[in-house]
């Protein structure tokens, strides 16, 4: 479709006058759309004996009260039609979220992100928004803890960005989530651009000083 042809990053390319952070950043809705392909468990309230073929895979057959996995977008559609109930992933259970929050707090001083699913923020948001009954009245507590986790993780990332050094422009982003990566991308790209410009400036100054150094006298 030609989209890749206009996405060169080299100087002078079609996007040379367009800020890379704006060109690469996705909206929250776009990230949620991507996350909707993640599989979740549902408990059907209907019986359907034949598998359902989709572009992303084959799912079913479905039997009443027998858990099965389907894409999140399909699970939401079934819940909205009162045809199924979503079972939150194990990592989204209240006890697991509390444990994750405790671990994020314990590693705050070292700016270490705890392991989470890549689309944890989007999946949690979608299930809380469309399937709150899946939390049996505890969705409020889960939502508050998720917000605390999000703020802790963002603070760690911002601290890491603030510690970037010219001679070592790198940070540890192990266990970063999709939404977090999307948020920090503009800051990281701008910082790397600044480091690149500083390096080019240093090289230009060095080359200029070498060019103006007096040449040794020839002959005896």
């Amino acid at each position: 479709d030609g989209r890749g042809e206009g996405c060169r990053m080299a100087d002078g390319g079609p996007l040379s006058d367009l800020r890379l952070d704006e060109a690469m950043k996705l909206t929250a809705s776009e990230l949620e759309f991507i996350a909707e392909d993640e599989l979740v468990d549902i408990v059907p309230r209907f019986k359907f004996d034949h598998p359902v073929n989709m572009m992303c895979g084959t799912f079913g057959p479905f039997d009443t009260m027998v858990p099965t996995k389907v894409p999140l977008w399909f699970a939401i559609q079934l819940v909205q039609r009162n045809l199924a109930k979503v079972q939150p992933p194990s990592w989204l259970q209240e006890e697991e979220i509390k444990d994750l929050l405790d671990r994020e707090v314990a590693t705050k001083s070292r700016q270490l992100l705890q392991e989470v699913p890549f689309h944890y923020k989007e999946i949690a948001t979608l299930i809380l928004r469309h399937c709150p009954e899946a939390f049996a009245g505890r969705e409020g507590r889960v939502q508050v803890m998720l917000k605390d986790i999000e703020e802790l993780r963002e603070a760690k990332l911002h601290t890491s960005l603030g510690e970037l050094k010219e001679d070592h422009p790198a940070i540890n982003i192990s266990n970063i989530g999709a939404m977090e990566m999307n948020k920090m991308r503009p800051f990281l790209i701008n910082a790397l651009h600044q480091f690149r410009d500083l390096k080019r400036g240093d090289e230009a100054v060095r080359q200029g000083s070498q060019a103006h150094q007096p040449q040794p006298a020839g002959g005896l």
Side-chain angles (χ1 to χ4, degrees):
D1 58 11
R3 286 177 296 179
E5 184 178 350
C7 294
R8 297 195 300 273
M9 294 179 61
D11 291 343
L15 290 182
S16 59
D17 294 328
L18 182 64
R19 291 183 61 84
L20 290 177
D21 53 1
E22 296 300 327
M24 297 171 67
K25 190 173 182 180
L26 299 176
T27 66
S29 296
E30 289 171 331
L31 286 169
E32 288 177 3
F33 178 79
I34 295 170
E36 285 180 341
D37 281 336
E38 296 291 321
L39 299 183
V40 295
D41 289 311
I42 64 166
V43 179
R45 294 182 173 132
F46 66 97
K47 184 177 179 63
F48 191 70
D49 294 330
H50 304 286
V52 178
N53 296 315
M54 304 180 187
M55 292 182 62
C56 55
T58 301
F59 304 95
F62 302 90
D63 200 355
T64 305
M65 303 306 292
V66 178
T68 188
K69 290 186 180 295
V70 298
L72 180 53
W73 65 265
F74 188 41
I76 292 172
Q77 294 290 321
L78 292 174
V79 168
Q80 291 176 340
R81 290 164 174 76
N82 200 30
L83 292 174
K85 178 180 178 180
V86 167
Q87 291 184 328
S90 58
W91 58 266
L92 195 50
Q93 302 290 339
E94 183 181 8
E95 296 77 11
E96 294 296 324
I97 291 295
K98 175 64 168 61
D99 180 64
L100 174 59
L101 177 57
D102 291 341
R103 286 185 281 116
E104 293 289 0
V105 170
T107 55
K108 182 178 180 180
S109 62
R110 290 177 287 162
Q111 286 85 55
L112 295 177
L113 299 179
Q114 298 303 296
E115 184 176 0
V116 293
F118 186 57
H119 288 290
Y120 87 97
K121 172 64 176 173
E122 302 93 297
I123 294 172
T125 298
L126 287 165
I127 294 179
L128 283 163
R129 181 190 302 154
H130 297 288
C131 317
E133 69 283 351
F135 296 92
R138 293 174 290 182
E139 62 272 13
R141 293 196 292 273
V142 170
Q143 200 160 15
V144 169
M145 287 190 290
L146 281 169
K147 182 64 176 176
D148 291 341
I149 290 169
E150 179 184 1
E151 292 176 352
L152 275 167
R153 291 170 66 89
E154 287 187 2
K156 292 178 182 180
L157 289 170
H158 288 161
T159 300
S160 296
L161 283 173
E163 295 176 351
L164 280 170
K165 298 179 181 179
E166 182 180 351
D167 60 344
H168 187 64
I171 61 172
N172 183 2
I173 57 172
S174 300
N175 299 325
I176 193 172
M179 191 76 75
E180 296 158 347
M181 181 180 292
N182 193 58
K183 285 183 178 180
M184 73 175 291
R185 182 179 286 119
F187 303 102
L188 184 57
I189 291 178
N190 287 336
L192 292 176
H193 284 337
Q194 290 175 15
F195 285 128
R196 180 196 62 186
D197 294 341
L198 286 171
K199 185 175 181 180
R200 287 177 176 176
D202 290 342
E203 290 175 350
V205 170
R206 184 166 55 254
Q207 291 173 2
S209 59
Q210 289 175 352
H212 289 87
Q213 285 180 358
Q215 300 296 322
L220 296 174

